[in-house]
Amino acid sequence: MNPLRKPILAANWKMHKTIAEAASFAADLQEQIGPLTDREAVIAPPFTAMDAVSRALKLEGYSASAQNCHWEVKGAFTGEISTVMLKDLGCRYVLVGHSERRHIFGETDEMIRAKTAAVFAHGMLPIVCVGELLVERDAGRTSDIVAKQVDKALEGLDSALAEKVVLAYEPVWAIGTGRTATPAQAQEVHAFIRTRLESLFNKEVANRVRILYGGSVKPDNVDALMAEADLDGMLVGGASLEVASFRRIVQFKS
Ligand code: PEP
């Protein structure tokens, strides 16, 4: 663990759990683990359960994240939720540009840049997701794709904000597929992203930005992934839906 970067273990529940299920998960997780000081646990429930989850997360080291937001503060955007509303609900983080948003809902790099700026504008922290498709990896384009996504998402930020960004490297071929990147594959891309941050901003920003890995993280691979120097946490989908499994991920050993 790098002392400049407190690890984040984040649960992305996607379109799962009722309000009651979400609230009891949040209570059970805290009861089983207790307060956290050397790492953060973050839960990203569906919007419907956000209020219940943010009220239930009472202990030090636990916070709520949204899975998405709109970039405008208000207006005629049927079905959308703004960052002001998310702040109101007690969110600390907002996932931006998850691969399901990019590839199922057609989000562009420009939308993701605007969302990132909106999250900061309302006092929350973006968790910006980047990652290549399998065809892009096979064509040797991973660095190009990831660099473009990082560059665009962070465009216009000054260093003071940039160092607060959380990035999540999630190779699309590893999400929900059971096919995890090896620790070495993940480390290679994380190190590349850190170098990119140094050239976009400076060494201090690069050293402070937390870069999470996501893609089929499970209790049995988390320790090996977290042992890599540039992996500062995990963004977890499927294995975050059961308390026992997410608890083990939060309690990774490095
Ligand atoms: C995700 O949704 O961000 C994710 C990484 O999912 P999974 O852990 O199920 O691959």
Side-chain angles (χ1 to χ4, degrees):
M1 288 201 257
N2 184 309
L4 290 175
R5 307 191 293 265
K6 193 184 269 195
I8 297 177
L9 295 309
N12 174 17
W13 284 350
K14 313 191 186 192
M15 200 168 69
H16 293 282
K17 295 195 188 293
T18 62
I19 295 172
E21 289 166 348
S24 78
F25 184 112
D28 291 351
L29 186 73
Q30 292 171 103
E31 193 183 311
Q32 292 179 28
I33 301 180
L36 294 167
T37 51
D38 66 346
R39 61 196 71 191
E40 293 182 41
V42 173
I43 296 179
F47 290 133
T48 47
M50 181 62 69
D51 184 50
V53 167
S54 53
R55 283 177 202 276
L57 294 177
K58 297 182 183 13
L59 294 189
E60 182 180 355
Y62 295 80
S63 55
S65 171
Q67 297 177 15
N68 184 27
C69 65
H70 196 270
W71 56 88
E72 293 290 345
V73 171
K74 60 183 170 183
F77 301 103
T78 301
E80 293 292 327
I81 298 204
S82 78
T83 46
V84 178
M85 297 164 185
L86 294 173
K87 180 76 180 163
D88 208 22
L89 278 167
C91 284
R92 174 168 164 76
Y93 293 98
V94 182
L95 297 182
V96 177
H98 188 276
S99 78
E100 287 148 20
R101 302 297 320 168
R102 291 179 189 263
H103 298 295
I104 303 176
F105 299 103
E107 287 192 7
T108 64
D109 285 333
E110 173 52 24
M111 291 175 183
I112 290 156
R113 184 206 60 74
K115 290 180 182 206
T116 302
V119 171
F120 274 130
H122 294 97
M124 297 174 291
L125 300 171
I127 301 177
V128 179
C129 306
V130 299
E132 80 288 0
L133 299 166
L134 187 56
V135 284
E136 293 166 339
R137 172 162 283 259
D138 288 345
R141 295 177 56 217
T142 298
S143 314
D144 289 351
I145 298 293
V146 168
K148 180 169 163 280
Q149 292 172 340
V150 170
D151 293 2
K152 187 66 194 177
L154 307 189
E155 199 178 282
L157 296 183
D158 61 19
S159 303
L161 284 183
E163 70 173 41
K164 296 188 169 64
V165 167
V166 179
L167 292 172
Y169 169 57
E170 299 206 298
V172 180
W173 46 271
I175 298 179
T177 58
R179 185 177 161 191
T180 322
T182 63
Q185 280 174 320
Q187 169 59 26
E188 187 183 7
V189 180
H190 283 230
F192 169 77
I193 293 172
R194 211 172 293 290
T195 308
R196 192 85 191 169
L197 291 169
E198 185 173 345
S199 59
L200 288 174
F201 299 97
N202 55 49
K203 202 169 183 57
E204 167 124 22
V205 169
N207 281 336
R208 285 185 184 275
V209 168
R210 290 173 291 180
I211 310 174
L212 316 185
Y213 167 78
S216 298
V217 174
K218 305 272 182 266
D220 64 5
N221 59 26
V222 63
D223 296 345
L225 288 161
M226 284 304 299
E228 295 293 336
D230 289 291
L231 273 64
D232 309 311
M234 301 284 131
L235 178 54
V236 189
S240 73
L241 292 172
E242 299 296 330
V243 175
S245 142
F246 187 56
R247 181 190 70 208
R248 174 63 183 83
I249 290 169
V250 173
Q251 294 178 316
F252 75 87
K253 302 171 182 68
S254 62

